Amino acid sequence: MSHSRREFIKRTAAISAASYIGMNLPLGKMGVVEAADADSWHRGTCRLCGVGCRLELGVKNGNPVALRGVAESRTNFGYVCMKGMKFWKFMQHKDRLTMPLYRARKTDKFQEISWDKALDIAADKFSESVLKHGNDSVGYYGSGQSLTEETYLFQKVFRGGLQTNNVEGNPRLCMASAVGGYLTSFGADEPIGGYSDIEQCHCFFIIGSNMAEAHPVVFRRVMRRKLDNPNIKIINVDPRISQTSRIADLHIQFNPGTDLSLLNAMAHVIIEEKLYDEDFIKNYTTFRKGDKVQVDFEEYRKFVADYTPEKAARTMGGKTTADDIRKTARWFATSKGTMSMWTMGINQRKQGVWANNLIHNLHILTGQLLKPGADSLSLTGQPNACGGVREGGGLCHILPGHRLVVKEKLRNQVEEAWGIPKGRIPPKPGYHTMAMFTAINEGKLKALWVNCTSPVQSLPNCNLYNKGMAREDVFIVCTDIFPTLTTEIANLVLPTAFHFEKTGVYGCTERRSQLTVKAVEAPGQAKPEVWIIREWAMKLAEKLNDPVIAKCVEPFMGKEEDYELPKAIWDEYTQKLTKGRDNDLRGATYEVLEEMADGVQWPAPTESFAKTGGSVKKFVKGIDPMATSESQNDLPYQFYGPAHPDRTLWIWLRPQADPEEIPDAEYPFYLSTGRIIDHWHTMSMTGRVPELMRANPYAFVEVNPGDARKLGIKPGDMVEVKSRRGVNILPAKVYEGPIEGMVFVYWHDQHPDRMINKVTKDAYDPGSKEPEFKICACRIKRLSGPKPLRPFLV
């Protein structure tokens, strides 16, 4: 896919227009209100994906009127995508939830009630469930969109108060395999480097990610690097040709699920041609297989010797050649700095952790880590999946500060910080996401609090789990800003304040914590979640006659909810529970975060260090204050990850393995799903913005032209997409995108005919417990010619 500078600019013009609107300039017809039309501008972080774009909300007469990028930000340089530019329109939308709503039965109509009554009902139902069915009959299902303060306080009340580890969240569905990969390869979660490596990178290895649409502002930085330096290389590895592929020097297309062969074949070439970094391996690396069994370099060499480029190309199918694999390996290994970037195409797999390990293997083998322009960078899907959930303790097996539930010493540290009795936190992890909703189906979990997410639409094989959530003997509370498909099966719906209507911290992809301070009032009686949790916990303590529950929120009593309350929660979390941990955030106080244009990258143990911006690279002496040689050696890189007591990086022997479900005679196509640039997640927010709906009003199925010819499918025809679990009916986009034998559907559409998670499969990675959304078997057929379609939301 080589091209001249002129061709490159031409190919990327459309993407550029869509991807980086929003500089601090009047855009008139583009929909941004000019600066003169706002009385004041209030700095914060974007509410949508995990990039962490810094922006400002324009306010006039107390009302939101515009958003603009922050030009001095080194994250987004003033640019925002169309979604980010428009999310202020959610804030005063007519559909906002403004009063608590309750119904005793799910077939009844909702009635407006007071906050006092709503919290009484929630406390009654959860306490009743605990008394009748035990502590593990209740659970919390949260979100990577919740503020860190919210996730932290929810899990504190459930663990320390209700004594259950049934604390989960939707990051299990998107980032758990990345966590597993970082922990098992590097010994610590989250990336070593960050976005600043982009401007120093010489080879981009983009695999399983359509950055142009899922992370457009980061993609803009990659494009700019290529435009300014045409000789750098971009490799895109994806079964589908996407907008991201258009800028690639080399695109590797393959049958879904076969890319483990590619990654092992690249390692084969690197070793065969002696492109590995012998000193780096000698000083910093050990080799592992199976259940952490240590082996040596020679055994690893023999293992990858079976993955010749020729054999891998046959396994992968498509037009991939052995020469393409060799070229990819050489570019990766020999560049001055190589960055890998990936998202759900790697993570949402039954072998998601293995796929992450194999990417990290390549970086460790070649020493493409810890130096400028080199990093193994998982791109996060949600704005606070890292900061709130991975760091703040928002999954069933982890406690705040990257602590494991199963470690008694670590549980005791948390109990001491909270001032509660030792042994209060149960030693057994709770239900992971798929187990949690299975427990609902089986009648084991009786009361569930769902915060800021819509599992009715976002779970794989959702029809199966929606039956359980609709049961009358399951009490469901939803805290949200809009009605969703999940509020439709709830008993109690509590209206929450939205972004810029409350104060709190997001932690983005690159270990960066950023503060957004309240700028406008929430509509009606909508309240910030931290107030809701605190008041509910006090009622729970009374009904269960348990002073320890009250103890969990005691430090936060009497704090006003706009700033003092979230600040007190943040202070407790950072000062008590990140101290001495790999994500030490003690220096990132609210006061420091308010000063910083871009926030702070951890570790940042002191305020003075946090004011420099924090650690741009982990593990590097002189850059990371925790990278010391006190107990090891005097090498420049010091690995202190809690999961690797030997303080080395681990290269893993991971074989090619098939997805859970592959095409056969009955279901001959692969199905994969993903995002489109104009919408985000379940479109409960973006579906209410007219400009975004005009751009993409509904989902469609992408069909390769070769497959379309065989099946008589033309553009716009209505097509049935059916699996062993469910069926969709969607208009066809005949497009040289998916490889032949594969179809692709965007997952945002809420319409019952076009909700693709009715079709996806709920198999999951045995280590990370992340579902295999990205691969299942289906069949397709033409039903009719084009038909007029109405969008589900406007």
Side-chain angles (χ1 to χ4, degrees):
M1 300 180 73
S2 61
H3 37 69
S4 67
R5 180 180 174 89
R6 181 182 297 274
E7 289 169 334
F8 178 84
I9 294 171
K10 184 177 179 181
R11 288 183 177 189
T12 57
I15 303 172
S16 303
S19 298
Y20 50 95
I21 300 167
M23 275 291 284
N24 186 0
L25 296 170
L27 294 179
K29 294 180 182 179
M30 297 306 296
V32 172
V33 178
E34 296 186 15
D37 289 332
D39 298 330
S40 57
W41 293 89
H42 303 264
R43 187 162 295 186
T45 301
C46 185
R47 170 58 178 75
L48 298 175
C49 81
V51 171
C53 293
R54 293 294 275 172
L55 39 71
E56 293 177 328
L57 177 72
V59 177
K60 185 177 178 67
N61 298 325
N63 299 312
V65 293
L67 282 161
R68 67 184 185 187
V70 175
E72 62 264 36
S73 166
R74 299 300 90 186
T75 301
N76 55 309
F77 298 90
Y79 295 98
V80 292
C81 71
M82 183 66 80
K83 298 188 295 293
M85 187 176 72
K86 294 294 183 183
F87 81 73
W88 68 272
K89 293 196 170 188
F90 310 159
M91 299 175 74
Q92 294 187 336
H93 194 279
K94 62 182 177 60
D95 292 344
R96 281 290 298 271
L97 295 167
T98 58
M99 285 287 293
L101 305 172
Y102 175 66
R103 57 185 177 184
R105 294 182 59 81
K106 293 174 182 176
T107 52
D108 295 342
K109 289 186 177 180
F110 280 112
Q111 302 293 322
E112 292 185 354
I113 59 174
S114 69
W115 268 108
D116 188 60
K117 186 173 181 180
L119 294 171
D120 250 339
I121 291 168
D124 279 336
K125 295 296 184 180
F126 276 75
S127 59
E128 178 183 304
S129 185
V130 167
L131 291 171
K132 285 186 177 180
H133 306 288
N135 300 75
D136 286 336
S137 68
V138 300
Y140 167 72
Y141 187 70
S143 171
Q145 301 156 57
S146 302
L147 296 166
T148 299
E149 296 85 345
E150 295 162 358
T151 296
Y152 173 79
L153 190 53
F154 262 121
Q155 64 86 36
K156 183 181 182 184
V157 171
F158 271 82
R159 288 193 162 104
L162 290 172
Q163 293 183 269
T164 180
N165 286 313
N166 288 340
V167 173
E168 264 294 293
N170 60 17
R172 178 73 68 182
L173 307 181
C174 57
M175 297 310 301
S177 291
V179 175
Y182 279 129
L183 285 171
T184 51
S185 289
F186 298 159
D189 188 19
E190 303 194 47
I192 290 173
Y195 306 144
S196 61
D197 288 305
I198 292 171
E199 283 72 34
Q200 302 175 81
C201 180
H202 292 263
C203 177
F204 293 96
F205 184 68
I206 304 170
I207 180 168
S209 171
N210 180 12
M211 290 175 64
E213 300 196 72
H215 298 89
V217 176
V218 172
F219 184 68
R220 177 204 168 271
R221 291 177 66 166
V222 175
M223 287 199 304
R224 171 53 56 195
R225 176 68 174 160
K226 179 69 171 176
L227 282 167
D228 292 344
N229 301 272
N231 291 329
I232 73 159
K233 302 301 183 184
I234 299 178
I235 306 158
N236 187 215
V237 180
D238 201 308
R240 172 176 173 259
I241 297 172
S242 69
Q243 298 295 345
T244 302
S245 316
R246 308 298 181 187
I247 72 166
D249 297 281
L250 179 62
H251 182 259
I252 303 289
Q253 195 171 23
F254 55 93
N255 288 326
T258 61
D259 46 352
L260 277 68
S261 286
L262 167 68
L263 297 167
N264 278 329
M266 289 173 65
H268 168 96
V269 173
I270 288 165
I271 291 174
E272 182 183 60
E273 299 186 7
K274 294 184 168 41
L275 303 176
Y276 54 90
D277 186 327
E278 191 170 353
D279 287 339
F280 191 90
I281 293 171
K282 177 184 176 182
N283 290 329
Y284 302 114
T285 303
T286 55
F287 296 82
R288 306 277 168 160
K289 69 176 183 179
D291 187 21
K292 303 181 183 179
V293 176
Q294 186 166 343
V295 297
D296 58 15
F297 177 83
E298 182 59 23
E299 184 165 347
Y300 177 70
R301 186 194 66 76
K302 290 177 180 176
F303 170 77
V304 296
D306 191 43
Y307 290 89
T308 64
E310 290 76 14
K311 183 176 178 180
R314 291 193 297 271
T315 300
M316 295 165 66
K319 298 178 181 178
T320 300
T321 68
D323 285 345
D324 289 336
I325 295 172
R326 287 191 172 90
K327 182 185 292 185
T328 300
R330 290 164 185 160
W331 285 356
F332 187 107
T334 61
S335 89
K336 293 179 182 177
T338 295
M339 286 188 77
S340 292
M341 297 179 174
W342 69 94
T343 48
M344 303 313 142
I346 289 294
N347 296 337
Q348 290 179 332
R349 304 265 293 278
K350 190 180 176 185
Q351 284 81 35
V353 174
W354 287 14
N356 275 264
N357 289 150
L358 295 185
I359 295 170
H360 299 322
N361 281 1
L362 298 174
H363 284 270
I364 300 169
L365 269 178
T366 56
Q368 292 285 7
L369 284 171
L370 302 142
K371 62 184 182 180
D375 197 35
S376 196
L377 182 66
S378 165
L379 297 172
T380 311
Q382 298 185 86
N384 206 27
C386 291
V389 177
R390 291 159 71 171
E391 299 163 24
L395 295 175
C396 70
H397 67 293
I398 55 174
L399 298 167
H402 289 160
R403 291 173 171 88
L404 291 177
V405 165
V406 295
K407 301 285 188 179
E408 182 179 12
K409 178 183 176 181
L410 302 183
R411 292 197 307 276
N412 292 163
Q413 290 172 0
V414 176
E415 290 159 344
E416 182 179 358
W418 289 347
I420 63 176
K422 279 190 177 182
R424 182 78 183 187
I425 300 171
K428 182 181 177 183
Y431 294 125
H432 62 81
T433 291
M434 300 315 299
M436 177 174 281
F437 289 95
T438 298
I440 292 174
N441 277 2
E442 295 172 349
K444 296 176 182 176
L445 202 149
K446 299 292 188 180
L448 179 69
W449 195 306
V450 178
N451 184 52
C452 195
T453 187
S454 185
V456 164
Q457 184 179 351
S458 60
L459 292 175
N461 190 14
C462 60
N463 281 345
L464 174 63
Y465 302 100
N466 293 347
K467 292 174 184 176
M469 284 187 276
R471 289 170 54 143
E472 289 293 350
D473 63 343
V474 177
F475 180 80
I476 294 181
V477 183
C478 282
T479 32
D480 217 318
I481 64 166
F482 284 126
T484 67
L485 295 181
T486 302
T487 65
E488 291 180 10
I489 52 87
N491 300 92
L492 182 63
V493 178
L494 304 179
T496 59
F498 185 58
H499 211 49
F500 282 105
E501 297 168 358
K502 56 188 177 182
T503 297
V505 175
Y506 276 164
C508 71
T509 290
E510 57 170 356
R511 298 174 284 105
R512 185 181 298 280
S513 294
Q514 301 165 313
L515 178 67
T516 299
V517 177
K518 179 179 176 179
V520 295
E521 295 297 326
Q525 293 191 28
K527 288 282 192 178
E529 283 94 320
V530 289
W531 178 89
I532 296 170
I533 307 160
R534 182 185 69 183
E535 301 305 308
W536 172 65
M538 291 305 294
K539 289 181 178 289
L540 266 179
E542 182 181 346
K543 292 179 187 297
L544 288 170
N545 191 26
D546 189 343
V548 179
I549 299 176
K551 183 77 171 175
C552 289
V553 294
E554 184 181 273
F556 316 125
M557 301 305 297
K559 305 286 186 183
E560 59 83 18
E561 65 205 57
D562 292 342
Y563 189 91
E564 289 181 2
L565 175 56
K567 181 182 184 300
I569 297 167
W570 177 256
D571 287 346
E572 177 181 286
Y573 162 59
T574 57
Q575 303 308 310
K576 292 186 176 182
L577 287 164
T578 72
K579 179 181 179 180
R581 304 297 296 172
D582 64 326
N583 68 319
D584 197 323
L585 278 161
R586 284 174 294 160
T589 63
Y590 265 31
E591 292 80 6
V592 170
L593 291 175
E594 286 193 77
E595 287 182 27
M596 307 297 291
D598 281 313
V600 174
Q601 285 180 284
W602 58 256
T606 66
E607 289 191 30
S608 59
F609 183 73
K611 288 179 180 179
T612 69
S615 300
V616 69
K617 290 272 188 186
K618 290 196 298 182
F619 307 137
V620 181
K621 289 172 67 175
I623 295 177
D624 175 355
M626 297 183 68
T628 65
S629 54
E630 292 175 6
S631 60
Q632 194 183 24
N633 50 53
D634 202 33
L635 293 169
Y637 307 140
Q638 299 291 324
F639 303 105
Y640 52 81
H644 286 187
D646 65 355
R647 295 171 66 110
T648 67
L649 305 178
W650 293 0
I651 289 178
W652 285 91
L653 284 64
R654 303 294 202 198
Q656 169 64 38
D658 286 337
E660 179 74 8
E661 188 175 71
I662 57 177
D664 55 22
E666 188 176 4
Y667 295 93
F669 283 86
Y670 288 102
L671 167 68
S672 193
T673 66
R675 288 187 183 179
I676 199 165
I677 193 168
D678 303 288
H679 288 293
W680 195 70
H681 279 210
T682 60
M683 68 184 277
S684 60
M685 294 184 291
T686 55
R688 290 179 163 92
V689 177
E691 295 91 337
L692 301 178
M693 289 300 285
R694 282 197 295 270
N696 269 295
Y698 45 76
F700 42 81
V701 55
E702 292 182 2
V703 184
N704 184 281
D707 294 321
R709 282 191 297 272
K710 295 172 190 174
L711 297 171
I713 296 171
K714 296 179 180 177
D717 283 354
M718 299 306 296
V719 172
E720 178 185 86
V721 179
K722 187 173 185 179
S723 73
R724 292 174 174 88
R725 293 156 295 282
V727 62
N728 271 203
I729 299 170
L730 304 112
K733 180 179 181 180
V734 179
Y735 171 63
E736 195 74 55
I739 193 170
E740 280 198 56
M742 169 187 167
V743 295
F744 181 90
V745 178
Y746 292 104
W747 79 273
H748 61 271
D749 203 322
Q750 292 189 6
H751 191 283
D753 285 346
R754 301 189 294 272
M755 203 163 83
I756 196 60
N757 278 331
K758 293 180 175 182
V759 182
T760 54
K761 186 162 178 60
D762 50 353
Y764 54 81
D765 185 296
S768 69
K769 309 300 190 288
E770 180 168 346
E772 192 161 45
F773 287 93
K774 281 295 177 277
I775 307 172
C776 72
C778 73
R779 60 178 182 239
I780 63 171
K781 69 176 180 179
R782 180 183 183 275
L783 296 180
S784 70
K787 288 186 175 181
L789 296 174
R790 294 186 64 186
F792 193 64
L793 289 172
V794 178

